[in-house]
Amino acid sequence: MTKTQIRDIITKIHFYLLGFALLNFILKNTIEISLNYRFAYLITILIYGSGIILFFWNFKPFKKIGFYFGFYAITPILTLLFWLFGGIFFGIIASIVLYPIQPNHIQIEKNDFVIYQENQGFLGMCCPYEITEKQFLILEKKIKEIDLNTEIEFNDNSIYTINGKTELKIKFEGYQFLERNLPERDTIILIKKE
């Protein structure tokens, strides 16, 4: 194989993966069924990796498509600048550029349910959570979103099923305005009713 053939194969793989990722994004936001999160993240990393390789491959002689692949090459540079210098400017720029590849954090995974803490970027609000249910082998269905404006501590007994109802039990600090205090209380959120 020649270098041109290898570059063409990597380009085709890159755009097929990009199309697959965009289809997954559309399905996730419309019918709320998507690929397993780990699998979708692997596809995203492969897209960025192939984009960086193709940027350097199209750099000399520079081609118009190099502008597109330049986005993938500038991502690690902006991350390095943010890490070295910090500050709000680099934080906002890095947040915008890194948003597609920052993974959601898995808080708890039990039975067929997974709770993710959604990534909100540099200046995002605190702690929205998404609850998904595994479907088949590589799919997930979004069940519910939780946003309590505070971080939740999960443990192994947080998700349980009783009488066909799957519930999430958490400790939640609810601010009481009249008493001006933060009492901690048990809160039960219904996840799924069969």
Side-chain angles (χ1 to χ4, degrees), residues 87-105:
I88 287 183
F89 175 72
F90 286 120
I92 292 172
I93 299 295
S95 175
I96 292 168
V97 174
L98 293 176
Y99 183 76
I101 61 171
Q102 286 181 320
N104 289 338
H105 180 68

Side-chain angles (χ1 to χ4, degrees), residues 66-181:
F67 288 113
Y68 165 74
F69 292 122
F71 171 77
Y72 300 105
I74 201 163
T75 301
I77 295 168
L78 288 173
T79 305
L80 179 66
L81 289 173
F82 176 62
W83 182 71
L84 287 174
F85 301 113
I88 287 183
F89 175 72
F90 286 120
I92 292 172
I93 299 295
S95 175
I96 292 168
V97 174
L98 293 176
Y99 183 76
I101 61 171
Q102 286 181 320
N104 289 338
H105 180 68
I106 295 176
Q107 291 291 330
I108 187 169
E109 188 171 355
K110 189 172 181 185
N111 301 334
D112 285 340
F113 296 98
V114 182
I115 299 178
Y116 298 105
Q117 183 175 2
E118 293 182 11
N119 179 24
Q120 292 294 305
F122 181 66
L123 295 173
M125 62 183 211
C126 176
C127 317
Y129 296 94
E130 181 178 288
I131 301 173
T132 62
E133 181 181 20
K134 294 178 184 177
Q135 303 281 317
F136 306 109
L137 193 58
I138 60 169
L139 298 176
E140 288 182 342
K141 180 176 177 151
K142 182 174 154 186
I143 302 293
K144 186 170 260 194
E145 287 184 0
I146 303 171
D147 189 4
L148 301 175
N149 293 325
T150 186
E151 211 166 316
I152 302 171
E153 291 185 27
F154 297 95
N155 57 39
D156 290 339
N157 299 325
S158 292
I159 297 177
Y160 58 90
T161 303
I162 297 177
N163 299 330
K165 291 193 293 187
T166 303
E167 298 177 333
L168 173 67
K169 183 178 182 180
I170 56 173
K171 298 268 189 198
F172 176 63
E173 292 181 350
Y175 185 75
Q176 295 177 340
F177 289 98
L178 296 176
E179 291 84 21
R180 294 186 181 159
N181 62 2

